[in-house]
Amino acid sequence: QNASANATSGNSPVLSLHEAAVDGNIPSMTLLIEQGADPHALDANGITPLEAALQVNNERSVTFLLQNGTSGKDLSQDGRPLWVAYAGSMTPDIARFMMPGDAPAEEVYQALSGAIAYSPYESTIEYFLAKAQTFPDFASRCFWPAAYVSQNQTVVDSLLIRNILPINGCPNSDEDAPLLVAVKRGKEKLAASLLLLGANPTKRDKAGYTASYYALKNGQKELADKLVAEEEKIRVEEYAAVLARKKAAARKRAGHGDCFIRKADGSTVPCPKL
């Protein structure tokens, strides 16, 4: 039999290296590699044993293969390093095994985006995030496209609170504000989180509509009412600020000091410039 493809032990069934990797059969994988099996060999689907193990999240096989000739830098069918391609599904332990210590920033950002979008493991996201934050241009990166895909609102809320996802959108982005996108896509929990954290509901899309319009269009009346109320509150505050600034000009000329606006909660803020 071809040692690069099969192994047998007593009356046990014959296994290929790919099958052994999927099963986590370390004795068979050991025997196959000792007999000269190529850990980089492709099966009929064009994948390596390591990718086969990653597809089923078999930690035993991944660890064994990484210790016996494979590398996290090996490429998947789409041309990405395997640790990047499977960032959205790998367990925290596999992520630690797979990510190279010298991983470049762009690959780490891709892996983090994949994890935010698809990973059910919060620890995996935090692992990639910790690495991503070591790069000097991290603050300029935008992870909202991945967050819109995510089904894990707990993770998204955590990223919002830490401003990794800016509530009103990424700087220098011409995309719609996150609140608008959330409402358009029917993601009510995300919209509620954004409102709670102070997202601006008066921002408009390229067609000139605010989030409240899309909430009404989608039949989300309760959300639409909240958005309209927040819009009105902001407009009232902006109007009050304009009046206060006009009064401040006269006060300043009369030597009565600077202008402040008292908000509904009793706090005061400086009047904005006209």
Side-chain angles (χ1 to χ4, degrees):
Q1 295 177 354
N2 187 338
S4 65
N6 301 297
T8 182
S9 177
N11 294 320
S12 298
V14 175
L15 295 175
S16 70
L17 188 54
H18 289 76
E19 292 169 331
V22 169
D23 292 344
N25 191 326
I26 303 301
S28 289
M29 284 193 289
T30 301
L31 178 59
L32 282 162
I33 290 176
E34 287 177 350
Q35 292 177 346
D38 180 4
H40 296 283
L42 302 179
D43 68 2
N45 296 315
I47 66 173
T48 63
L50 179 57
E51 187 165 1
L54 285 169
Q55 288 180 347
V56 295
N57 260 338
N58 195 313
E59 292 182 15
R60 282 166 49 86
S61 294
V62 170
T63 304
F64 174 85
L65 290 165
L66 288 175
Q67 293 171 340
N68 288 272
T70 60
S71 168
K73 296 181 181 180
D74 289 352
L75 302 181
S76 66
Q77 288 178 293
D78 63 7
R80 292 181 295 167
L82 286 173
W83 70 274
V84 174
Y86 287 88
S89 60
M90 61 177 56
T91 66
D93 284 341
I94 290 180
R96 283 188 283 270
F97 291 142
M98 290 286 291
M99 186 172 71
D102 60 350
E106 194 57 40
E107 290 182 0
V108 175
Y109 295 146
Q110 289 179 32
L112 176 57
S113 293
I116 291 171
Y118 303 111
S119 179
Y121 307 104
E122 292 180 33
S123 296
T124 298
I125 297 170
E126 292 299 326
Y127 182 72
F128 290 131
L129 177 60
K131 179 65 175 178
Q133 289 176 314
T134 66
F135 297 110
D137 66 338
F138 173 76
S140 68
R141 306 298 297 201
C142 187
F143 298 99
W144 266 115
Y148 294 140
V149 178
S150 176
Q151 298 299 311
N152 192 333
Q153 190 59 44
T154 300
V155 166
V156 174
D157 285 345
S158 174
L159 298 175
L160 280 168
I161 290 169
R162 288 179 283 176
N163 202 38
I164 293 163
L165 296 172
I167 60 172
N168 288 314
C170 299
N172 305 317
S173 173
D174 60 356
E175 299 299 321
D176 288 342
L179 182 57
L180 267 162
V181 176
V183 175
K184 285 181 178 182
R185 297 190 181 188
K187 299 177 77 73
E188 290 193 55
K189 289 183 179 179
L190 176 55
S193 292
L194 285 163
L195 271 178
L196 183 64
L197 292 171
N200 186 348
T202 66
K203 286 185 173 292
R204 298 178 182 273
D205 63 9
K206 294 174 183 177
Y209 298 114
T210 64
S212 61
Y213 167 82
Y214 292 101
L216 285 169
K217 184 178 179 181
N218 295 340
Q220 301 165 312
K221 187 176 184 307
E222 184 176 347
L223 177 59
D225 289 343
K226 289 180 181 178
L227 289 164
V228 169
E230 287 299 316
E231 286 182 36
E232 184 62 23
K233 179 180 175 182
I234 289 175
R235 291 193 181 99
V236 168
E237 290 180 352
E238 289 175 347
Y239 180 67
V242 170
L243 291 179
R245 179 53 66 186
K246 288 180 177 179
K247 291 179 180 179
R251 287 173 55 84
K252 198 163 189 178
R253 286 194 298 270
H256 295 305
D258 294 327
C259 168
F260 291 91
I261 300 172
R262 186 174 299 280
K263 301 179 71 174
D265 62 3
S267 62
T268 59
V269 294
C271 297
K273 294 181 180 180
L274 290 176

